[in-house]
Amino acid sequence: MSGPFASAQSTPRIEFLFPAGAQRGTTVDVHLGGEFMPPGCRLSMAGEGIALEAASDPNRYRFAVAADAKTGPHEARLSTVQGASSPFPFLVGELPEVIHRGEQKPLELKLPVTANGRLDAAGDIDEYGLTLAAGTQIVCAVTTRAIRSPVDPMLRVLDAAGKPVASSFPHRTADALLVFRAPAAGHYTLQMFDFQMAGGADFIYRLTVTDGPWLAYAFPAGVSRVTETPVTVFGWNLPSPGGENHVLSVPPQNVERFELTLPGCVNRLKLPVSDSPNQIETEPNNTIEQAPTLPFPATLNGRLGTPGDIDFASFSAKKGEKIVVDVDSANLQFATDIVLTVLSEAGKLLIEIDDAKGSRDPSLLFTAPADGRYFVSLRDRSRGGNAEYIYRLQLTSQQPAMSARVNTPSLMVHSGQTANVAVIVDRIDGLADELEVTALDLPAGVSVKPQPVPAKTPATVQLPLTIAETTAPVGGLIRIVVRSTKSGEEKQKTAMIAEAATAGSGSESLWLAISPEVPFTLKTTTTILDAPRTAAFPFPVSVTRKEGFTGPIQLIGVEPDRRGTLIPLTGEIPAGSDSGSLPLVLQHKVTEGTTHRSRVMGVAEVPGSDGKLYAVFHVAPGSMSVGCQPSLLTMTVAPGIVQRSHGETQRLEVQLMRRTTMQPITLRLALPKDVVGIECEPVEVAGDQKTAQLALRFLPSAVLPPRTTIEIHAESSRDGLPIYATTSFRLESQ
């Protein structure tokens, strides 16, 4: 929208929140890690339940969680005047919470509890102490994917002698689950680590440990909207004898998903709700002759109970009748990979389907070729089977519906402009209604022109949002909806933000930013420039300014090499100038000949339509590449140990070794902050000189520690690029 002055990166990014959650009714200090965070960047929460208070550190916030806040994920966003990040989850729980801060000794836990931890570096293992009575069974569950963490979690329990006695396994209710019954009373150690022994600032996890009930799954795996449903739940420490299962009755539910839990239980099962009564398969049903006849509509709950099990069922249909046949199993987090077949009354194969709609579960719209009875069969593709190979088969009439999505979490528009939001609309199961797309919850000064949806599906609709000239810069959440008006009844569906949904934290809100234009673009060289270790190497940055903009531009390093080998400082492009530099420092540990990268962001203040100044930024495309050069200049100093003497002058001889021709070299003394009262004038060394002398004058008022190390810095240049070298000597009292 701004032509060549559109930002290459107009939104910030959240990489982690630590801790990643909190208990209801508590306040916690949270460390935010992110990128593309210019001055003025702020964090906000969607909805209610969490109040934020910024600390003096721009990466620290205080989260005050209300006692009645909803449990589960809350959406956090980083925003600038140019837009906002994708929504990032912050989890609210009901249990007391603790934070593991890298203590060497195990952090003792009092159950039940949720621990927040971080594997700071490769090889890290976090340890927790547990004192258990004989026979106590604990369930330990790790959450990582729901908080966008790269940790591939592993758990292990050690006994008092340090011997492993239990380890975790994958499970539908957690990213890693460990169940352990203490064979004897005593102290045990619970270890948490990454499968690859990796670590880093974003390797964050939440670990829940309980000796109370934990639900594994339910059968049937859903309930009904029209009748009461008897449900058996399975898990650990349940209230029934043996603690492995429990039977309850669920009344009719008028929701899309029913959250099932038990008293004292710390997790929930989300069960789908059907419009028809639940039926349970009965064996034997492994052949056409044994197939039960289902009513219509029908919801059949079953199990492929043994390896190779095949379940049959039948239904009747009239010629041309359209019936939706849906199977849910993988969608309910079971291991089953269902293959669905439809056969004629004579047993002839009509359709076989495996995966559908991006899922491992099958789904089809079946049109009956003739009046009669039809059969469906279900089997696992790998011929697996056990008590947890659970499925739900639904037979329903065609139910036209609609869905919509937007493929960006944030939209930036300038005052006085019109921007189009690309909305992808799907008509489901033959929906023929006239549809239109519009926007809701728009701020003052923003108008929308609803757009019709074409009959084809999927259809991409460009929805125009127009910003009045006088609209001041502002940012906030809006909703994009697709709606139909038929027989006076309005039907409406809110568009999902596809990027957030893919990441496991779906959102129905789009961030709209009304922003001043960014009046500049940055550019850096694509050449790999050589730099020495430890010196602040000035990487050149150029700018193209929009006519009328002459202000200064602050330069900030972003996305530096994750190895921590390259540290960007801050630089500047002065007012009216077309170039500047960003100082980059290669660390001591960098190997000669290796290449290290960072990017550069420029920040400037520009006036908005209200006359106020706003910080806008642009990130140069590509990376700044810095190679660690062999030392072109080295030097030594003699003597290596200097005995101080108040009121006297001592001379140091510096030996210089050049690997290439260069400009004259300037030598300077770099005094530590605790050294006062030494004077030493800089010395310039000509290009053909190999030695130089520095005169150290110790003033009578000198304040010197008994022993300290003092550095000598050398600086020169070649072809316009700097060359540095450092040596040191030790200063001691006589």
Side-chain angles (χ1 to χ4, degrees):
M1 290 172 289
S2 301
F5 294 94
S7 177
Q9 168 69 42
S10 61
T11 58
R13 182 175 72 219
I14 300 176
E15 295 183 336
F16 65 82
L17 296 172
F18 182 72
Q23 182 187 19
R24 290 203 290 188
T26 64
T27 297
V28 63
D29 291 327
V30 176
H31 176 207
L32 182 152
E35 274 293 0
F36 309 109
M37 298 167 56
C41 191
R42 66 184 183 90
L43 186 70
S44 61
M45 303 295 299
E48 299 178 350
I50 300 179
L52 298 184
E53 177 185 333
S56 55
D57 184 336
N59 294 94
R60 304 276 175 179
Y61 288 84
R62 178 157 291 177
F63 283 47
V65 184
D68 59 351
K70 72 176 182 68
T71 57
H74 290 241
E75 293 180 357
R77 284 177 175 83
L78 267 178
S79 64
T80 69
V81 71
Q82 290 166 250
S85 67
S86 296
F88 197 90
F90 183 81
L91 305 188
V92 173
E94 297 178 305
L95 296 181
E97 302 207 3
V98 296
I99 299 176
H100 192 294
R101 300 194 183 277
E103 297 92 341
Q104 294 299 313
K105 296 181 180 179
L107 175 63
E108 296 296 321
L109 298 181
K110 182 179 179 181
L111 307 187
V113 68
T114 294
N116 294 274
R118 170 161 48 195
L119 304 173
D120 293 289
D124 272 6
I125 298 177
D126 283 357
E127 294 190 335
Y128 298 89
L130 299 165
T131 300
L132 304 176
T136 299
Q137 181 170 252
I138 61 170
V139 180
C140 311
V142 185
T143 298
T144 55
R145 283 179 294 180
I147 56 176
R148 314 275 182 87
S149 170
V151 176
D152 185 1
M154 296 288 291
L155 294 171
R156 182 169 57 197
V157 173
L158 309 179
D159 63 15
K163 177 184 176 182
V165 290
S167 58
S168 60
F169 52 90
H171 197 264
R172 69 182 61 86
T173 61
D175 294 308
L177 195 73
L178 182 147
V179 180
F180 171 67
R181 187 181 297 278
H187 189 270
Y188 297 85
T189 300
L190 174 64
Q191 294 184 326
M192 164 68 203
F193 53 96
D194 179 76
F195 178 74
Q196 300 288 344
M197 297 305 292
D202 57 343
F203 276 63
I204 289 166
Y205 63 87
R206 280 170 65 81
L207 168 63
T208 293
V209 184
T210 180
D211 53 4
W214 184 272
L215 306 182
Y217 67 95
F219 186 79
V223 297
S224 173
R225 190 169 280 109
V226 295
T227 62
E228 189 174 87
T229 306
V231 175
T232 302
V233 290
F234 299 83
W236 297 273
N237 300 328
L238 302 187
S240 60
E244 295 180 353
N245 59 69
H246 180 74
V247 180
L248 68 160
S249 187
V250 179
Q253 298 293 319
N254 191 27
V255 293
E256 185 176 345
R257 292 261 171 175
F258 170 65
E259 291 194 357
L260 185 150
T261 191
L262 295 175
C265 193
V266 298
N267 74 322
R268 290 171 165 79
L269 300 178
K270 294 184 178 181
L271 306 182
V273 180
S274 65
D275 292 326
S276 55
N278 275 280
Q279 296 191 63
I280 307 297
E281 62 133 347
T282 54
E283 296 283 354
N285 58 356
N286 306 105
T287 65
I288 285 178
E289 292 74 22
Q290 297 170 333
T293 300
L294 301 178
F296 189 84
T299 300
L300 178 67
N301 296 271
R303 285 183 169 109
L304 301 178
T306 58
D309 189 13
I310 300 177
D311 287 353
F312 281 85
S314 69
F315 63 93
S316 297
K318 299 289 185 181
K319 180 178 180 179
E321 187 176 359
K322 295 182 182 297
I323 296 177
V324 177
V325 184
D326 265 321
V327 179
D328 280 320
S329 184
N331 289 342
L332 302 176
Q333 305 302 312
F334 294 106
T336 329
D337 186 2
I338 294 284
V339 177
L340 170 71
T341 60
V342 180
L343 302 94
S344 69
E345 191 165 2
K348 178 184 177 181
L349 177 65
L350 300 178
I351 299 173
E352 181 173 282
I353 185 171
D354 186 358
D355 304 343
K357 299 179 181 178
S359 165
R360 288 194 298 120
D361 288 334
S363 177
L364 66 90
L365 177 61
F366 174 70
T367 302
D371 291 358
R373 188 182 182 202
Y374 295 89
F375 297 92
V376 293
S377 73
L378 297 95
R379 71 178 192 277
D380 179 67
R381 174 160 292 282
S382 301
R383 302 189 65 79
N386 60 40
E388 295 186 31
Y389 275 57
I390 292 172
Y391 64 82
R392 278 169 64 83
L393 168 67
Q394 291 196 81
L395 304 177
T396 59
S397 57
Q398 193 174 15
Q399 298 177 345
M402 54 190 168
S403 68
R405 68 185 187 275
V406 176
N407 287 334
T408 179
S410 179
L411 178 69
M412 181 180 70
V413 195
H414 305 309
S415 299
Q417 291 189 342
T418 295
N420 288 325
V421 183
V423 186
I424 303 169
V425 181
D426 280 298
R427 295 174 181 268
I428 301 171
D429 290 344
L431 179 68
D433 293 19
E434 290 187 3
L435 304 178
E436 69 173 9
V437 176
T438 191
L440 303 179
D441 307 327
L442 297 176
V446 182
S447 60
V448 61
K449 183 179 180 181
Q451 296 294 304
V453 179
K456 69 174 185 177
T457 189
T460 299
V461 180
Q462 300 293 336
L463 180 67
L465 300 179
T466 300
I467 316 301
E469 287 276 3
T470 57
T471 305
V474 68
L477 297 173
I478 67 171
R479 288 190 300 133
I480 307 296
V481 299
V482 55
R483 61 191 183 190
S484 168
T485 302
K486 184 178 180 182
S487 303
E489 179 184 354
E490 184 179 274
K491 302 174 184 178
Q492 182 170 288
K493 189 75 173 180
T494 301
M496 292 295 295
I497 307 305
E499 180 180 334
T502 302
S505 176
S507 176
E508 293 185 339
S509 299
L510 171 71
W511 187 277
L512 175 65
I514 301 168
S515 169
E517 292 193 37
V518 182
F520 64 92
T521 58
L522 300 183
K523 185 179 180 181
T524 60
T525 178
T526 57
T527 304
I528 299 176
L529 300 182
D530 289 333
R533 298 185 187 94
T534 71
F537 175 80
F539 201 99
V541 181
S542 61
V543 62
T544 300
R545 296 175 180 269
K546 190 173 183 179
E547 186 176 354
F549 173 67
T550 60
I553 301 170
Q554 183 185 13
L555 299 178
I556 300 172
V558 292
E559 287 193 313
D561 194 312
R562 283 185 175 269
R563 293 171 291 178
T565 53
L566 182 67
I567 307 298
L569 305 180
T570 57
E572 185 184 44
I573 297 178
S577 175
D578 60 1
S579 64
S581 63
L582 177 69
L584 302 173
V585 180
L586 287 170
Q587 299 295 78
H588 278 286
K589 61 184 177 182
V590 175
T591 304
E592 287 185 358
T594 56
T595 302
H596 309 266
R597 294 176 173 84
S598 181
R599 298 181 70 189
V600 59
M601 174 172 69
V603 182
E605 288 192 331
V606 299
S609 57
D610 56 358
K612 296 180 181 179
L613 291 177
Y614 295 88
V616 296
F617 73 95
H618 175 265
V619 178
S623 297
M624 301 177 294
S625 300
V626 179
C628 182
Q629 67 181 23
S631 299
L632 300 179
L633 174 64
T634 57
M635 59 181 179
T636 59
V637 61
I641 300 175
V642 175
Q643 301 290 332
R644 71 180 190 184
S645 179
H646 286 73
E648 295 185 2
T649 297
Q650 294 206 25
R651 299 189 181 277
L652 302 175
E653 184 170 292
V654 180
Q655 189 81 25
L656 300 165
M657 290 147 283
R658 303 172 179 83
R659 288 191 179 182
T660 184
T661 58
M662 60 187 69
Q663 295 297 312
I665 300 168
T666 301
L667 300 178
R668 291 185 176 88
L669 209 63
L671 295 175
K673 293 182 178 180
D674 60 347
V675 173
V676 178
I678 296 180
E679 291 182 346
C680 182
E681 294 294 330
V683 173
E684 186 171 288
V685 184
D688 57 351
Q689 280 185 255
K690 295 182 179 180
T691 61
Q693 286 192 344
L694 291 174
L696 272 64
R697 291 185 295 275
F698 295 90
L699 302 181
S701 59
V703 178
L704 306 172
R707 174 180 293 181
T708 188
T709 297
I710 296 179
E711 290 186 346
I712 300 172
H713 290 179
E715 181 177 350
S716 183
S717 65
R718 181 175 183 268
D719 298 331
L721 294 176
I723 297 173
Y724 304 96
T726 301
T727 189
S728 63
F729 63 91
R730 196 165 73 223
L731 179 65
E732 295 183 350
S733 59
Q734 289 186 339

